Amino acid sequence: MEIFTMLMALAIGIYALKSRDQNRRIALLGTHLGKYQIEQLMESLTEGYLRTLGESDPERRAQIWNLLSTTEMALCEQFTRFVTEFSRVDEADARVSKLALSVPYAAKLFPSLTFDLRKALSIHAHGISHAANNTDQTPKDKAFTLSAELFLMQHTCHWFCRSKTVASARLLARHKTSYAQVLASVSPDTRKAYGTLTAG
C-alpha cells in the first residue's frame, strides 16, 4: 500500500511539473504569436486552396489564385517579423526536447537532446517565403508545397509546447496528413536543414 501511495505521489508530482513546464512554453510562444494574424492567415490560405482546387471555371480559378497570392505575401511578412522578434528570446528558453514523449524540464536535464526553436523558425521562414515566391511552379504545385511548409511550421510549434508525439498526432487529426508526409512534401532545402537540426 505504501508503494502504491508513493507511486501515486510521484506520478502527481511529475504531472504537475510537466504541466508547469508546458504552460510556460505555451505562454512564451503565445505572447509572441499573439501580436500577429499568422494562424488566421494560414487558415484562410488552406481553405482558399481547397476552394480553388474545387473550382471548375478556369477564369474564376485564376481570380482566386490572384487573391490568395496577396494572403501569401501577408503571411510571409508577418511570419518574418515574428521570427525576428522571437530570435531575441534567450536560448535556454527556446530549447526543444528531441524525446518523443514529454519529460518535465527535459531541455535542462538533457541539453544534448534538444534543438533551438529559434533556428527551426528561421528555417521555416525561409521555406515559407521561398515557396510563396516560387514562380517556377504552377499555382497548384506552389499551394501544395507552401501548405506543407506551413504544416511543418505548425508541427514545430506544437512540438515546442507539448512533445513530438503530440505534435504529430495533432497534425494527423487536423490536416489528415502524417509528419513523414509533410517532411516529404516541403522543399528539399527545408527538409535537409530541418532534418539536420532535429536529428536525434
Side-chain angles (χ1 to χ4, degrees):
M1 189 68 178
E2 288 184 7
I3 295 177
F4 177 76
T5 303
M6 288 176 60
L7 289 175
M8 281 293 294
L10 180 62
I12 291 170
I14 291 174
Y15 178 79
L17 287 173
K18 184 177 76 170
S19 296
R20 186 183 305 168
D21 186 36
Q22 289 181 348
N23 289 339
R24 178 190 63 81
R25 291 171 174 275
I26 292 168
L28 175 64
L29 191 60
T31 298
H32 291 277
L33 276 174
K35 301 173 184 178
Y36 306 96
Q37 286 83 46
I38 293 169
E39 188 170 355
Q40 297 93 315
L41 290 168
M42 182 177 168
E43 288 180 8
S44 294
L45 274 182
T46 52
E47 290 173 5
Y49 289 153
L50 290 174
R51 188 172 67 252
T52 308
L53 293 172
E55 179 58 57
S56 58
D57 181 3
E59 187 175 334
R60 175 62 180 156
R61 189 163 56 241
Q63 290 176 344
I64 300 176
W65 283 129
N66 288 332
L67 289 173
L68 289 174
S69 66
T70 303
T71 307
E72 291 168 353
M73 292 304 104
L75 176 58
C76 289
E77 187 270 334
Q78 289 211 18
F79 192 75
T80 299
R81 283 168 50 203
F82 157 68
V83 171
T84 300
E85 180 185 325
F86 197 85
S87 68
R88 303 187 188 102
V89 169
D90 289 341
E91 181 183 356
D93 293 327
R95 303 305 299 182
V96 185
S97 173
K98 295 180 183 179
L99 300 174
L101 299 175
S102 178
V103 175
Y105 300 97
K108 298 187 188 309
L109 295 171
F110 314 106
S112 62
L113 295 177
T114 65
F115 65 90
D116 191 337
L117 178 63
R118 299 170 305 172
K119 292 181 180 178
L121 292 175
S122 181
I123 292 170
H124 292 313
H126 177 78
I128 291 168
S129 179
H130 182 267
N133 290 284
N134 190 347
T135 57
D136 294 331
Q137 288 185 308
T138 65
K140 180 180 178 180
D141 289 341
K142 184 176 84 166
F144 180 80
T145 303
L146 182 53
S147 293
E149 296 280 355
L150 291 170
F151 293 166
L152 184 61
M153 175 272 291
Q154 193 175 54
H155 180 277
T156 301
C157 291
H158 288 152
W159 187 348
F160 172 73
C161 292
R162 301 290 184 178
S163 69
K164 184 178 182 180
T165 300
V166 170
S168 297
R170 286 187 173 182
L171 178 67
L172 191 60
R174 182 175 294 186
H175 301 296
K176 303 297 185 291
T177 186
S178 69
Y179 175 58
Q181 287 174 310
V182 167
L183 270 181
S185 302
V186 295
S187 71
D189 286 347
T190 297
R191 186 162 51 251
K192 181 179 179 181
Y194 191 80
T196 301
L197 179 68
T198 61

